[in-house]
Amino acid sequence: MSEPILSVESLSVSYGRVEAVRDVSFSVPEGGMVALVGANGAGKSSVLAAVSGLMRPGKGTVRLDGRDITRWPAHRRVGAGLVLVPEGRQILGTLTVAENLALGAHRRRAQAVPAGELYELFPVLAERRDLPAGALSGGEQQMLAIARAMISRPRVVLMDEPSMGLAPKMVDEVFGVIDKIRASDVTVVLVEQNARRALRTADTGHVLETGAIAHSGPASELLKDPKVVQAYLGVE
């Protein structure tokens, strides 16, 4: 197995006196995929906020390709190839689809994916490239958020709840895109409320409970672990 491209060591995150994440550690090999699952409020999104640079952890270390990036600002992490697809999409609704994508390439223009190549991966965006992003459906906006991250040709993509609020058909399309991203050897860290779907897609899974990792292992084994199934997955 290759060396980790992303390592998180003993990470702790607090909001005032409330500790949201406690001593979380995991790593991802280049081209691999890790799923972080758990109940709402378990600390999953706070982990991604700290890894992406949107929050400063109280303790712990984040390494990208062996470099300590814990104190790097978010834009420097993007420039190094680590990008976040945020919960709630956070697209710019008054700008067109094409303009949103252009903004995604800002920090890594030299590495940017040609627009035509990106539209092949996201054909619905090609059809709507000149429309304001706010006119897209929720599923189309999620595709735009993912495409905006991918245009910078990242090495690591952090995805925060990409299927939230989407119809089942669009959920299938989003996970289809995630599969294509993995096939291109991009490393993925996925936070997802649909725990079963996330674990079916990932190599490794970590189950968070009240800010700490309660279960870890190969995703295929977590899917069969009676404790994980009973507490987090339920009966199909």
Side-chain angles (χ1 to χ4, degrees):
M1 183 176 291
S2 60
E3 291 296 314
I5 186 172
L6 178 68
S7 297
V8 176
E9 304 163 7
S10 303
L11 191 73
S12 295
V13 176
S14 297
Y15 297 87
R17 296 183 178 181
V18 178
E19 192 173 40
V21 175
R22 302 191 319 276
D23 199 29
V24 165
S25 298
F26 65 90
S27 62
V28 199
E30 189 160 14
M33 178 174 170
V34 162
L36 305 180
V37 300
N40 290 338
K44 307 182 300 296
S45 293
S46 294
V47 170
L48 291 196
V51 173
S52 66
L54 295 181
M55 290 189 66
R56 179 69 60 84
K59 298 178 183 177
T61 305
V62 179
R63 298 184 189 278
L64 181 66
D65 236 1
R67 292 177 295 175
D68 185 345
I69 65 169
T70 311
R71 296 188 175 277
W72 286 17
H75 66 83
R76 187 178 176 190
R77 300 184 200 206
V78 172
L82 187 152
V83 300
L84 172 69
V85 181
E87 180 181 354
R89 298 144 201 163
Q90 297 183 23
I91 60 165
L92 297 176
T94 59
L95 299 185
T96 67
V97 166
E99 289 167 340
N100 270 272
L101 293 178
L103 286 176
H106 176 65
R107 287 287 170 184
R108 286 169 63 86
R109 289 190 185 280
Q111 295 90 357
V113 177
E117 183 179 327
L118 200 68
Y119 286 134
E120 287 182 12
L121 182 61
F122 300 92
V124 68
L125 300 182
E127 298 170 6
R128 292 158 172 70
R129 70 185 73 183
D130 296 323
L131 289 179
L136 304 182
S137 70
E140 291 165 350
Q141 289 182 9
Q142 185 62 65
M143 290 295 185
L144 176 56
I146 296 172
R148 182 180 58 188
M150 295 308 300
I151 197 169
S152 66
R153 212 182 295 272
R155 301 181 65 199
V156 180
V157 176
L158 313 174
M159 293 192 177
D160 196 357
E161 302 285 11
S163 79
M164 181 178 288
L166 301 184
K169 181 180 178 181
M170 187 54 69
V171 171
D172 290 340
E173 292 189 24
V174 166
F175 273 92
V177 168
I178 292 172
D179 287 339
K180 291 178 182 178
I181 291 171
R182 289 202 63 200
S184 66
D185 292 327
V186 175
T187 303
V188 178
V189 180
L190 174 65
V191 160
E192 176 57 51
Q193 62 177 355
N194 189 336
R196 190 180 295 275
R197 190 68 180 266
L199 291 174
R200 283 175 175 164
T201 305
D203 304 310
T204 304
H206 303 283
V207 181
L208 271 72
E209 186 175 297
T210 60
I213 292 178
H215 306 276
S216 292
S220 59
E221 293 184 8
L222 290 177
L223 281 167
K224 297 181 290 187
D225 186 318
K227 293 180 180 178
V228 174
V229 171
Q230 181 178 8
Y232 305 102
L233 304 183
V235 178
E236 285 190 288

